[in-house]
Every structure is written in C-alpha cells, then in structure tokens.
Amino acid sequence: MNLLYFATMILLPLIMISIGLLWRKTGPNKINGIYGYRTARSMSSKESWNFAHKYSGRIYLLLGILLLIPTLILGAYYWSADSDTAGILSVIVMTVHLIFFILVIPITESALKKNFDKNGNPIREEE
C-alpha cells in the first residue's frame, strides 16, 4: 500500500481525535463565525456554545479512537496491496470516516435541543 493512501486513511480519525482533545474541556472562548461548532442553536448563548463543544468533543474523541484502530489494522493488512486495491480501499475507508464525522452534528443538535430552548436558555427539569 502506498504511504500516501495510508496517510489519507488515517487523516480523518486523527483530525477527530485532535478536535476531541481540544473541545472536550471547552471550545473557543468566544462565540464566533469562524472556528468551532457553529450552528444556530449552539451559537444562541454562551452556555449552549460551551455545551456543544464539550459534547461534540467527547464524541469526536471517542469516534476518532474507535475508527483509528481498525483503520491501522486494515492498513497493515493491505500494506503490500497493489495500487488499485489500495486506492479503492482508501476511498471506502475515508467515506465511512466522513459519514461518522458528519453524524456528530445531528447527535449534538439533538442533545442541544433536549437541553436548551431556541434562545439558548437551559431547559430545567421540573422536580
């Protein structure tokens, strides 16, 4: 397997792990339109902004680790594969990684909707 194919296969899990490590404690200090988990619901208040980053950060970290391990095993198994096989394998693996990367958004949005109203105010459970 070409080193370039292997590098592209592990790139997205490494990005997910990096995002997870950065965001699991807290995301960017200020709500901004450039960097961070930017959706209407997450940007509606500082509390929802922080929640979205911590929540998605934990998911990204976990998914990144869970995706990296089988990717490394698969890469080692196909290391000596011909270029065509390696290329097809890397496209399939990267597609699966991308699907998981994108799935974090609806999962985080669901958690935001459950914990915050449209204005970013926390929803308090009535006792």
Side-chain angles (χ1 to χ4, degrees), residues 11-21 56-57 59-65 67 97-98 100-102 104:
L11 183 63
L12 200 51
L14 292 177
I15 289 171
M16 293 170 79
I17 291 169
S18 299
I19 290 171
L21 290 172
S56 63
I59 296 171
Y60 275 131
L61 181 60
L62 178 65
L63 283 177
I65 293 167
L67 291 173
H97 291 171
L98 188 59
F100 279 101
F101 188 83
I102 292 170
V104 172

Side-chain angles (χ1 to χ4, degrees), residues 47-93:
E47 281 184 291
S48 64
W49 177 258
N50 289 336
F51 175 87
H53 284 88
K54 288 178 187 177
Y55 192 87
S56 63
R58 286 189 296 252
I59 296 171
Y60 275 131
L61 181 60
L62 178 65
L63 283 177
I65 293 167
L66 290 176
L67 291 173
L68 183 62
I69 294 167
T71 302
L72 290 172
I73 294 168
L74 207 60
Y77 182 73
Y78 282 100
W79 189 259
S80 61
D82 62 272
S83 194
D84 289 340
T85 304
I88 291 168
L89 175 68
S90 67
V91 169
I92 292 168
V93 168

